[in-house]
Amino acid sequence: MKYKLLVSLLLITGVIQAQQNNSICITGYYAGNAERLDSFPVEKLTHLIFSFGHLKGNKLHISNAGDTACIKKMVSLKAKNPHLKIILSLGGWGGCASCSEVFSTESGRNEFANSVKELSQYFKTDGIDLDWEYPAIAGYPGHRYTAEDKRNFTLLIKSLRITLGKEKEISFAAGGFDQFIDLSVEWKEVMQIADKVYIMSYDLVHGFSTISGHHTTLFSTPQQKQSADNAVNRLLETGVPSNKIVIGAAFYARMFQVADTLNKGLYRPCSFYRGVSYSRLYDSISNDRGFIQYWDSIAKAPFAFNAERRILVSYDDAQSIKEKTEYAIRRKLGGIMFWQLADDKFNNGLLNAIYKAAAAK
């Protein structure tokens, strides 16, 4: 028993020292049940984001007992990782139907901010992340959006800071594409208040795309402008501090049915086929299933192609994760985040790849 206790203390001490020596955050979103959390190396995270709460009226609402249990489990993980911050999140794709309307009024914004404070005090969590997809531009089909969302988003961030005070983190998930950067956020005002912007530098080629490509590429290519690097450069040009920018990685793959076999399926007319978790990815794209795996040295991104079935697969792997983590450090960014922890392998997964790359620098 004494030996096990000593090993645990050494592990926690090592994690704390690694996090103190490494200035970047490692943030994971989590959409799963409480029990599975014990299967993942949460000691390698700096932030864990509960996904998702939603609006009920004007208030942030945790909708069921399973979600409540999950949040409480997350908070209990601080025993393993004392520096871990647990963040509640609003929205997600399809999860912000009434955001435009609720946040269009001062009373709606203030009631929401007060509900965040109440839930944070109840659960003993450390902040709020807004995943509104998207202010001022089309997002989930049928959800309201107006040009006024852009200003209202700023006012929402201000209301949250006034209500929560300085000790709670405020972050938001941002589309990693130019239209969002240009139209959705008043960057100078918002980033004076918010602690982090989590760039969703994945789904850059998505379920509505008609031309294939890398969905989670680090760098742009001659055929594909949208990338993590493009988003970072655009935000820096608007005056966003580099240490508040966090780039995203995908712990899942996207598969596309392409029209022909040219260019190994890249940048060809396509339709979305399906997604697959990283934990099951290599069973799906094995040679036995007719796939060949490739590396794009310009994009710094892997992909796989089945020429017979004309299926392109875009994903992150250990090498692209290493490239992204080293890029975040090199560019003095706030860190790296990913969607989502439940898609990772229990052992030697992509979270481990991020941690190893960060610790090596």
Side-chain angles (χ1 to χ4, degrees), residues 229-241:
D229 179 63
N230 175 70
V232 167
N233 292 333
R234 293 293 315 284
L235 290 182
L236 291 174
E237 288 168 3
T238 69
V240 177

Side-chain angles (χ1 to χ4, degrees), residues 19-36:
Q19 290 179 352
Q20 289 174 342
N21 292 336
N22 167 30
S23 60
I24 70 167
C25 75
I26 301 174
T27 298
Y29 285 83
Y30 183 72
N33 61 41
E35 292 75 21
R36 290 192 72 203

Side-chain angles (χ1 to χ4, degrees), residues 241-262:
S242 62
N243 66 352
K244 291 189 174 186
I245 299 172
V246 181
I247 59 172
F251 282 22
Y252 63 97
R254 282 191 172 273
M255 295 183 170
F256 301 92
Q257 184 81 58
V258 296
D260 52 50
T261 60
L262 296 178

Side-chain angles (χ1 to χ4, degrees), residues 104-122:
S104 68
T105 67
E106 183 178 3
S107 61
R109 294 187 294 268
N110 290 342
E111 191 172 352
F112 173 77
N114 285 323
S115 72
V116 171
K117 182 177 182 179
E118 290 170 4
L119 284 173
S120 297
Q121 290 173 339
Y122 174 76

Side-chain angles (χ1 to χ4, degrees), residues 197-214:
V197 52
Y198 291 119
I199 302 174
M200 293 184 285
S201 43
Y202 42 75
D203 289 347
L204 299 174
V205 182
H206 48 74
F208 301 100
S209 296
T210 57
I211 299 295
S212 68
H214 296 292

Side-chain angles (χ1 to χ4, degrees), residues 111-225:
E111 191 172 352
F112 173 77
N114 285 323
S115 72
V116 171
K117 182 177 182 179
E118 290 170 4
L119 284 173
S120 297
Q121 290 173 339
Y122 174 76
F123 286 114
K124 297 181 174 59
T125 49
D126 302 295
I128 182 69
D129 180 68
L130 302 173
D131 193 356
W132 175 1
E133 300 184 32
Y134 304 102
I137 63 173
Y140 190 84
H143 284 191
R144 167 181 144 157
Y145 64 96
T146 71
E148 289 73 25
D149 292 340
K150 185 175 185 178
R151 182 60 187 166
N152 292 334
F153 185 77
T154 305
L155 297 174
L156 172 62
I157 295 288
K158 288 183 176 181
S159 180
L160 284 166
R161 179 57 74 205
I162 291 168
T163 303
L164 299 179
K166 294 181 179 180
E167 71 278 6
K168 298 295 184 183
E169 281 205 10
I170 298 173
S171 61
F172 63 98
F177 51 94
D178 287 341
Q179 186 188 25
F180 182 98
I181 294 168
D182 291 337
L183 300 177
S184 293
V185 177
E186 295 176 334
W187 291 103
K188 288 184 179 179
E189 284 192 69
V190 166
M191 296 313 298
Q192 288 177 1
I193 304 165
D195 296 285
K196 295 179 178 67
V197 52
Y198 291 119
I199 302 174
M200 293 184 285
S201 43
Y202 42 75
D203 289 347
L204 299 174
V205 182
H206 48 74
F208 301 100
S209 296
T210 57
I211 299 295
S212 68
H214 296 292
H215 97 84
T216 182
T217 179
L218 177 55
F219 290 107
S220 304
T221 69
Q223 301 89 348
Q224 181 178 334
K225 180 187 178 186

Side-chain angles (χ1 to χ4, degrees), residues 280-294:
R280 303 191 305 273
L281 174 63
Y282 290 102
D283 292 334
S284 300
I285 61 170
S286 66
N287 290 342
D288 291 343
R289 291 181 178 267
F291 284 90
I292 299 176
Q293 298 169 28
Y294 300 96

Side-chain angles (χ1 to χ4, degrees), residues 86-106:
I86 305 302
I87 308 294
L88 301 177
S89 189
L90 165 73
W93 182 248
C96 223
S98 61
C99 286
S100 177
E101 181 179 1
V102 168
F103 300 143
S104 68
T105 67
E106 183 178 3

